[in-house]
Amino acid sequence: MSAPVFVLTPDTLEPAGGAQTARRGGTLTLTGPEAHHAVAVRRLRVGERVDLVDGAGLRLVCEVAEGGRPDRLGVRVVERVVETPPPLRLALVQALAKGGRDEQAVQTATEVGVEVVVPWQAERCVSVWRGPRAVRGRDRWQATAREAAKQARRARVPQVDRVRTTRDLVGWTGEVVAAGGLVLVLHEAATAPLGGVDLPRPGPPRPVVAVVVGPEGGVSEAETTALRDAGALVVRLGPHVLRTASAGPVALAVLAQRAGLWS
């Protein structure tokens, strides 16, 4: 079984800034909720392997050197790895949905390898994010991405962007396309298959390949037209209609395989 992963931050690691200077044989102490989970929930013991990641590509392969206290985990660094970022940045534009389906999409997309998540307040969304609710919703999605990244043993944690209206999303689409990226709107009435789309050439800078998923009620004709006019391509995922929770992750998996991100 692969080693468990815990996310370190400047506030949960001793000495402060230790991740940047850690080398083989060095010792660090993880504190806070992550340490509590490692000691009290996972019950890690001295000598067991554990990986500490910073969420931006740094992985410290460690072994437990000291345990026993519920909020502190002492480790010894075995190897320092700075993982090379993939040539493309996968992004998920996910319409808000009820019943936790949007969070499910974020979770599975993180396991697939998404790097950017954009919440979308689409025309037909039943759920509405405004004011404090938008802050709480974004924080909840970010926490979901963080936990999913740990479960998937990723060294990179996806970043959840601010919620965007359709007007905002149209502007974002234009920026991505102008920078050499690709925005794909999934639509059941489209004729162009997702598998036939030409992917952008790797950078630098790394181009974004984004998948836009509408709410359960679908993407409206006006939204489809506006996004297409901004440079997005409207594509069909497959012969069956997938729910909003599964459409994005499935599409991202197809793109990841085609781009060689899983090879």
Side-chain angles (χ1 to χ4, degrees):
M1 179 179 290
S2 56
V5 165
F6 297 95
V7 180
L8 55 86
T9 69
D11 298 327
T12 61
L13 191 69
E14 297 177 0
Q20 303 307 315
T21 58
R23 293 295 184 271
R24 181 185 179 92
T27 58
L28 300 168
T29 301
L30 185 67
T31 64
E34 292 288 89
H36 178 80
H37 185 78
V39 175
V41 180
R42 294 301 300 264
R43 298 185 180 276
L44 295 177
R45 299 290 182 260
V46 173
E48 291 189 273
R49 176 179 160 178
V50 59
D51 287 0
L52 304 185
V53 304
D54 69 349
L58 172 64
R59 182 186 301 271
L60 299 178
V61 180
C62 304
E63 62 179 19
V64 178
E66 178 187 358
R69 286 179 287 181
D71 59 350
R72 297 175 67 82
L73 181 73
V75 301
R76 182 176 297 102
V77 178
V78 176
E79 184 180 7
R80 177 189 179 90
V81 180
V82 179
E83 299 185 359
T84 302
L88 302 176
R89 297 182 68 204
L90 295 181
L92 171 65
V93 178
Q94 177 65 50
L96 308 182
K98 295 187 67 176
R101 296 189 183 95
D102 45 14
E103 288 183 53
Q104 183 182 341
V106 172
Q107 175 182 328
T108 311
T110 298
E111 295 169 0
V112 170
V114 76
E115 291 190 52
V116 179
V117 178
V118 180
W120 177 28
Q121 187 74 63
E123 180 181 321
R124 294 173 178 168
C125 286
V126 176
S127 180
V128 177
W129 285 9
R130 291 196 183 98
R133 188 173 183 180
V135 175
R136 292 195 300 270
R138 181 182 182 182
D139 289 345
R140 189 169 62 249
W141 282 26
Q142 187 64 68
T144 297
R146 175 189 172 103
E147 292 306 309
K150 289 166 58 178
Q151 176 65 34
R153 311 298 197 260
R154 290 185 59 179
R156 297 181 183 277
V157 176
Q159 295 303 301
V160 178
D161 210 335
R162 64 179 177 84
V163 63
R164 281 178 164 79
T165 64
T166 297
R167 180 176 179 178
D168 295 332
L169 183 59
V170 168
W172 182 86
T173 296
E175 293 172 0
V176 169
V177 173
L182 183 64
V183 178
L184 304 170
V185 180
L186 303 184
H187 200 292
E188 62 186 61
T191 57
L194 174 69
V197 172
D198 291 331
L199 298 179
R201 293 183 177 182
R206 295 187 298 139
V208 171
V209 176
V211 172
V212 179
V213 180
E216 296 287 6
V219 183
S220 73
E221 183 176 346
E223 289 170 328
T224 302
T225 300
L227 290 169
R228 183 189 286 118
D229 289 347
L233 301 179
V234 181
V235 297
R236 174 175 52 83
L237 179 54
H240 308 129
V241 177
L242 277 65
R243 303 196 73 169
T244 189
S246 53
V250 170
L252 290 168
V254 172
L255 294 169
Q257 178 64 30
R258 289 192 57 210
L261 305 188
W262 285 2
S263 60

